[in-house]
């Protein structure tokens, strides 16, 4: 079993806790499904949020999904002029039999524009 890193992002429409939980839950679920993963395959997950998001921790959405015994951490993205606003990003470390070239990185909605080179 190899250790792999899976990237993902979603742009929120507004800074509200319920909306954040909904969108981050959708992103986490899509990452797991598209890579044939289950919660036990997760090693750790980093969440970042742009500086304009204040309503809640993105990791709270993962906890609500039942991801309770996996180390999660949240951090703030750099405040870069012209960067896409209201974005939550994920870097998940997982155990997977998939080769690196077959890992599905998930960029939902408008966030697909962030990494057209790896978004699937």
């Amino acid at each position: 079993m190899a250790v792999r890193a899976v990237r993902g992002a979603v742009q929120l429409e507004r800074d509200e806790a319920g909306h954040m939980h909904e969108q981050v839950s959708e992103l986490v679920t899509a990452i797991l499904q598209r890579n044939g993963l289950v919660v036990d395959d997760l090693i750790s997950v980093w969440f970042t949020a742009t500086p304009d998001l204040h309503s809640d921790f993105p990791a709270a959405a993962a906890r609500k999904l039942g991801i309770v015994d996996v180390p999660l951490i949240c951090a703030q993205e750099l405040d870069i002029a012209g960067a896409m606003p209201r974005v939550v990003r994920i870097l998940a470390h997982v155990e997977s039999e998939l080769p690196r070239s077959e890992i599905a990185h998930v960029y939902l909605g408008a966030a697909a524009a962030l990494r057209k080179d790896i978004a699937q």
Side-chain angles (χ1 to χ4, degrees):
M1 189 74 66
V3 174
R4 301 286 184 228
V6 185
R7 294 284 318 267
V10 63
Q11 183 183 38
L12 307 184
E13 295 175 17
R14 57 194 175 281
D15 183 23
E16 295 175 1
H19 179 63
M20 179 183 287
H21 290 185
E22 175 185 295
Q23 294 298 301
V24 172
S25 293
E26 182 179 342
L27 179 59
V28 170
T29 300
I31 286 171
L32 293 174
Q33 288 177 345
R34 292 183 194 180
N35 288 287
L37 301 169
V38 295
V39 172
D40 282 346
D41 296 325
L42 295 172
I43 297 169
S44 64
V45 184
W46 281 82
F47 294 88
T48 64
T50 51
D52 51 0
L53 294 175
H54 309 278
S55 61
D56 203 354
F57 296 99
R63 296 288 185 225
K64 285 187 172 186
L65 282 176
I67 302 173
V68 296
D69 62 351
V70 175
L72 308 176
I73 192 163
C74 296
Q76 188 177 70
E77 281 287 332
L78 296 173
D79 191 8
I80 304 298
M84 184 180 286
R86 300 177 317 281
V87 175
V88 173
R89 291 175 174 85
I90 291 178
L91 174 62
H93 301 98
V94 304
E95 292 180 319
S96 175
E97 295 291 345
L98 291 175
R100 187 176 293 149
S101 62
E102 291 183 24
I103 293 293
H105 304 283
V106 180
Y107 289 77
L108 300 178
L114 294 171
R115 291 296 307 264
K116 292 179 183 177
D117 57 325
I118 64 171
Q120 298 177 356

